[in-house]
C-alpha cells in the first residue's frame, strides 16, 4: 500500500449580507464570504489537499476566478473534480482532518451535516471525515470576524 498526504489552506473575507457556505452547508450568519465562486473556504482547502496529495496543480489553476464559468459555482464541483483526478491515478481517501477558524457563528451545530456532505462527495463513511471549529481568539482577520479560514489535511492511499 502506498500513501500520500495532502495539505490545503484557504481564507475568504467576510462581509455583512453575504451567504456563508462551509463544507457545502449554508450556515445562518450575519456575514458571508466575498468570492467568485460560492466562497466555501472549507471545500476549497479540502480540494487543494486532495490535489496536493495527487501531485496536481492547485484549485486556482484548475478553476481560475478569471473564468466566468466559475462564477457562483458550487465548490462541491471543484472537490468532485479533484477526487476524480486522484481516483484516475488510483488514490482513494484514507481520512481527512480539517479545521475551520471562524469567530461567529459557532460551527458545532452544523458539524455533522458538514461531515456527512463531505463524506458523500468522497463516497466514504463520515467516520473518515473530521471537521473541527475554532475561534480566532479575537485577534487577526478571522478573530476580528473579518475572514473565515480553513485548514485541511488528507491522507490518500492506493494499493
Ligand atoms: Mg477559496
Amino acid at each position: 500500500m502506498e500513501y500520500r498526504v495532502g495539505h490545503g489552506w484557504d481564507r475568504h473575507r467576510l462581509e455583512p449580507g453575504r451567504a456563508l457556505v462551509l463544507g457545502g452547508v449554508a450556515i445562518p450568519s450575519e456575514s458571508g464570504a466575498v468570492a467568485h465562486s460560492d466562497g466555501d473556504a472549507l471545500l476549497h482547502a479540502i480540494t487543494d489537499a486532495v490535489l496536493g496529495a495527487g501531485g496536481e496543480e492547485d484549485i486556482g489553476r484548475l478553476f481560475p476566478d478569471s473564468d466566468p464559468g466559475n462564477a457562483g459555482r458550487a465548490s462541491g464541483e471543484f472537490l468532485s473534480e479533484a477526487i476524480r483526478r486522484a481516483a484516475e491515478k488510483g488514490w482513494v481517501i484514507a481520512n481527512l482532518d480539517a479545521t475551520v477558524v471562524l469567530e461567529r457563528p459557532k460551527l458545532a451545530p452544523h458539524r455533522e451535516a458538514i461531515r456527512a456532505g463531505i463524506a458523500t462527495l468522497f463516497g466514504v463513511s463520515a467516520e473518515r471525515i473530521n471537521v473541527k471549529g475554532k475561534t480566532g481568539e479575537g485577534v487577526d482577520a478571522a478573530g476580528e470576524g473579518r475572514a473565515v479560514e480553513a485548514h485541511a489535511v488528507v491522507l490518500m492511499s492506493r494499493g
Side-chain angles (χ1 to χ4, degrees):
M1 194 72 98
E2 278 185 278
Y3 294 95
R4 293 276 172 85
V5 69
H7 166 262
W9 174 86
D10 196 32
R11 173 160 63 195
H12 281 268
R13 198 153 48 82
L14 296 174
E15 279 186 359
R18 290 180 177 266
L20 181 63
V21 180
L22 288 170
V25 174
I27 295 177
S29 171
E30 284 175 13
S31 48
V34 178
H36 188 66
S37 67
D38 66 2
D40 191 327
L42 177 55
L43 289 191
H44 294 178
I46 295 169
T47 299
D48 261 346
V50 172
L51 291 171
E56 302 271 350
E57 290 191 288
D58 63 88
I59 187 171
R61 292 287 295 235
L62 285 181
F63 306 105
D65 59 11
S66 56
D67 180 351
N70 292 329
R73 205 163 157 194
S75 297
E77 294 177 29
F78 303 152
L79 178 54
S80 291
E81 173 62 13
I83 293 167
R84 191 193 64 76
R85 284 173 181 244
E88 254 179 14
K89 297 177 178 175
W91 296 110
V92 295
I93 185 171
N95 78 301
L96 164 77
D97 189 27
T99 304
V100 174
V101 187
L102 179 68
E103 201 64 11
R104 61 189 162 273
K106 291 284 183 210
L107 204 66
H110 310 285
R111 181 171 177 266
E112 293 312 317
I114 291 170
R115 289 179 70 201
I118 294 168
T120 299
L121 289 170
F122 277 99
V124 299
S125 105
E127 171 265 331
R128 292 174 186 258
I129 308 296
N130 194 45
V131 176
K132 309 182 294 296
K134 291 181 74 73
T135 72
E137 295 288 338
V139 295
D140 288 340
E144 292 167 6
R146 295 184 287 113
V148 56
E149 279 182 26
H151 306 252
V153 177
V154 66
L155 185 68
M156 309 286 280
S157 67
R158 74 178 171 192

